[in-house]
Amino acid sequence: MSTPRTNEYAVVIEQIEPGEFEARLPDLPDALAFGATPEEALAQAQQALDALFDVCWADSEPFPDPVATPAPGRALRLSLDRAARLALAREMERRSLSKVAVAAAAGVDEKVVRRVLSGRAARLEQTLRLLDSLGARPLFAA
């Protein structure tokens, strides 16, 4: 996997009928949301984006990079904790690093790396510290 140039997912919002709007993410066909207003549909689409990431992560399936160019004001990003976990996993894959190797580079127990990658009870600061120990600079932290 290559590092994405951006972590913004384009959102297309269309009025289906009066008082009902649909929000689609072209790069993620499974992420579809609805709302009574464009703002509500956008908020629901953010929840759909994060939920789809969680499902892919739990199933060890790859999460697609954004490809479509978002219109101004029509983009969503993964929450910071999810984006950081994804950046760490991609950096580990890119360098063929094991959890043990990352733990050694960060000076922490391997359990910390496992906990961060699982997403359970991990803090964003821990994930960023692991990324920093690898010299990785995720896009969202720029």
Side-chain angles (χ1 to χ4, degrees):
M1 268 183 263
S2 63
T3 303
R5 285 173 277 200
T6 179
N7 63 348
E8 293 186 333
Y9 290 84
V11 180
V12 177
I13 298 178
E14 296 176 332
Q15 186 169 7
I16 304 170
E17 57 185 56
E20 188 172 1
F21 292 83
E22 173 187 81
R24 294 182 287 108
L25 285 82
D27 296 322
L28 304 165
D30 292 334
L32 191 61
F34 301 90
T37 64
E39 295 77 17
E40 186 179 311
L42 191 62
Q44 293 294 323
Q46 179 66 58
Q47 290 180 4
L49 173 64
D50 287 339
L52 183 58
F53 175 84
D54 291 344
V55 168
C56 287
W57 195 264
D59 292 345
S60 298
E61 292 182 18
F63 194 74
D65 288 334
V67 177
T69 304
R74 293 290 191 231
L76 296 176
R77 292 176 179 226
L78 286 171
S79 63
L80 286 179
D81 63 322
R82 289 173 177 90
R85 263 189 289 144
L86 183 59
L88 178 60
R90 287 181 172 169
E91 188 66 18
M92 289 172 66
E93 183 178 333
R94 186 180 75 78
R95 295 187 190 186
S96 299
L97 295 173
S98 68
K99 294 174 186 111
V100 171
V102 173
V108 299
D109 190 285
E110 182 200 1
K111 292 176 189 173
V112 173
V113 179
R114 279 188 280 148
R115 187 171 48 245
V116 164
L117 289 172
S118 74
R120 285 181 247 123
R123 295 187 324 267
L124 177 61
E125 297 81 28
Q126 290 175 316
T127 311
L128 294 176
R129 221 172 295 125
L130 293 175
L131 281 163
D132 190 53
S133 73
L134 300 177
R137 301 284 179 250
L139 291 172
F140 58 84

